[in-house]
Amino acid sequence: MILHYRIIKHLLWISGLVISFMLGYFAVRNYLFAVPVAEGNLRGMALALSSSIESLARKDASLDILHELRSSDIAFFSVINSTGVQIFHSNHELEGSIAEDFDFNPDSYANGYSEARLVLGTGEDAFEFAYPLHFPDRTLMLRLVLHAYRADAIVKRAQMGMMAIFSLMAAAWIMGIFIYRLAINAENQRKEMYKQENLARLGTMGAVLAHEVRNPLAGIKGYAQLLGEGLADENKKEYAALIVTETLRLENLVNDLLAYAKKERPESLPVKATNIINQALNLAEGSLTKKISIKKDLEPEIVVMGDEDRLLQILLNLIRNAIQAMPDGGLINISAKKAGRLVNIEISDTGRGINPNDIGQIFEPFYTTKARGSGFGLAISRKYAEEMGGWLTASDNQEKGALFRLIIPSAGRKD
């Protein structure tokens, strides 16, 4: 079920990215395509008007007939001779003047015409089209200036469409992320409720175990110890010692279950982290072999806010796990450093590491990869860390083995 949920979640994200890319590509392509379309419309209109003007000019050499040409798309037009004189202008007052801002050179037009954008005196952006008019006795130049607002409206509509699509996509992503966060929060709340329900069930089970199991176990252990002391046969003594060992293991399991199910909030007090680390190492010293070495990198005078006993239990569990992960020997690195209002305690080993499939489950109660493990050590450690306002994570060590990182609040001021 969890795997299917993750696959669906990834498919939704990928689908969202693909759809966003396609919409963005369509909007940008539509905008980029609108620019040549607008220029093409202006060019086509200019060519059509130039052909009409040329036809009229051939009919009337005086060019007076051109005054009859009217079009709402024309800003103005003029006919210029080789000396630069405007022999015709749609504005009578400019006829006979020199077109100083126009270069008369029909031979330089590779396409037979030239086009450009210019800004009129009114501030309007217009389209200028120059077209040679060839007559039997002379060559004149037609300067045709068209209003560009209709063609530019195509570009503006495409630009507004592109902005609208990107705005809608941004709004959709913001809404999607918001809904996703709500779903994550709801999922976390569901998990927390499920966890609390499990703790309640474990608490009930723990109460039953405390009464129905722990007391009889204490009796079995006591009788086994007395039996072992009174036996002369060494083999039978070993059997009695084995009974004591197993009852102790069951007692520890019951104690772990009660500790995990217990809802009591610990008192948060300043604790010297360095002292607790050294104390945990001293307690775990009996499990160390000559093949295992310890390397410490501890900042002096690190004080954390937490419960001394619970912090000691966390560190002791992590150190013992590191020792058990290296039956053939290795190196345990322990570091403690302050980072603002937090303290980062890392314990790593060079053992067999953590199976990637186990990363998400190793902190669950009853989950263990050990042949005789209870599956409560890491679960209790994370629970204690969270109750002290911190958290505990696990990952693969960069070099080899496993890395456990304990983050807890610092009792000092922020650096």
Side-chain angles (χ1 to χ4, degrees), residues 344-362:
N344 182 15
I345 300 176
E346 295 184 355
I347 298 178
S348 64
D349 59 67
T350 57
R352 57 182 174 269
I354 304 174
N355 190 316
N357 296 327
D358 296 333
I359 287 288
Q361 305 178 71
I362 59 175

Side-chain angles (χ1 to χ4, degrees), residues 42-352:
L42 286 171
R43 187 181 305 111
M45 186 187 304
L47 284 169
L49 289 171
S50 298
S51 298
S52 299
I53 291 171
E54 185 176 25
S55 297
L56 292 173
R58 289 180 182 277
K59 294 178 181 180
D60 183 6
S62 66
L63 303 181
D64 290 338
I65 194 174
L66 296 181
H67 287 292
E68 300 177 3
L69 183 63
R70 295 287 186 272
S71 175
S72 60
D73 293 308
I74 299 177
F76 68 88
F77 71 98
S78 64
V79 178
I80 306 169
N81 63 17
S82 59
T83 61
V85 177
Q86 299 180 110
I87 60 175
F88 172 84
H89 199 287
S90 54
N91 183 355
H92 289 288
E93 297 178 357
L94 296 178
E95 289 183 356
S97 62
I98 301 295
E100 298 179 353
D101 59 340
F102 185 79
D103 182 21
F104 183 94
N105 188 9
D107 296 332
S108 64
Y109 300 148
N111 297 325
Y113 60 86
S114 72
E115 59 186 51
R117 287 282 185 149
L118 79 160
V119 179
L120 301 178
T122 58
E124 178 188 348
D125 188 21
F127 178 79
E128 182 185 60
F129 189 81
Y131 184 81
L133 303 176
H134 297 289
F135 298 94
D137 58 339
R138 57 180 175 169
T139 297
L140 301 176
M141 288 298 300
L142 170 64
R143 184 188 189 189
L144 178 62
V145 177
L146 302 177
H147 296 294
Y149 51 81
R150 290 187 181 179
D152 290 344
I154 299 174
V155 179
K156 290 180 180 179
R157 282 196 296 269
Q159 186 178 22
M160 291 179 62
M162 180 179 66
M163 296 301 297
I165 288 177
F166 278 111
S167 299
L168 289 173
M169 283 197 303
W173 274 104
I174 292 173
M175 186 178 297
I177 292 173
F178 178 73
I179 294 174
Y180 176 75
R181 290 181 64 88
L182 288 178
I184 292 296
N185 291 337
E187 179 67 15
N188 291 336
Q189 290 179 359
R190 187 190 67 80
K191 290 180 179 179
E192 185 63 26
M193 290 178 61
Y194 180 74
K195 180 179 178 181
Q196 294 301 325
E197 290 174 359
N198 283 341
L199 286 176
R201 285 194 291 267
L202 286 174
T204 303
M205 186 187 301
V208 173
L209 288 173
H211 182 266
E212 300 293 339
V213 177
R214 190 162 60 174
N215 293 337
L217 280 177
I220 293 172
K221 180 180 67 174
Y223 290 133
Q225 289 173 338
L226 290 174
L227 182 62
E229 292 175 359
L231 292 173
D233 191 334
E234 291 298 327
N235 290 331
K236 293 181 180 179
K237 281 188 176 182
E238 290 181 4
Y239 295 148
L242 183 60
I243 294 174
V244 173
T245 300
E246 291 302 312
T247 53
L248 286 173
R249 190 173 71 85
L250 290 175
E251 277 187 350
N252 290 333
L253 177 60
V254 173
N255 292 333
D256 287 343
L257 176 60
L258 292 174
Y260 185 78
K262 195 174 184 181
K263 296 182 179 180
E264 184 179 68
R265 196 77 178 179
E267 186 177 3
S268 184
L269 297 172
V271 179
K272 288 187 177 181
T274 306
N275 293 348
I276 301 300
I277 293 172
N278 290 327
Q279 186 178 350
L281 286 171
N282 291 334
L283 291 173
E285 189 175 1
S287 303
L288 289 173
T289 65
K290 294 181 179 180
K291 296 181 180 180
I292 296 178
S293 56
I294 305 291
K295 181 181 178 181
K296 295 188 294 183
D297 181 14
L298 311 177
E299 289 186 2
E301 302 301 325
I302 292 182
V303 181
V304 299
M305 293 299 296
D307 181 89
E308 184 173 343
D309 292 335
R310 298 195 176 197
L311 180 59
L312 176 61
Q313 186 64 49
I314 295 172
L315 296 172
L316 189 58
N317 286 341
L318 297 180
I319 293 172
R320 284 175 174 169
N321 280 350
I323 294 171
Q324 293 170 4
M326 300 184 296
D328 299 325
L331 174 66
I332 298 177
N333 281 294
I334 303 176
S335 67
K337 296 181 180 179
K338 188 177 178 184
R341 295 186 182 275
L342 300 173
V343 172
N344 182 15
I345 300 176
E346 295 184 355
I347 298 178
S348 64
D349 59 67
T350 57
R352 57 182 174 269

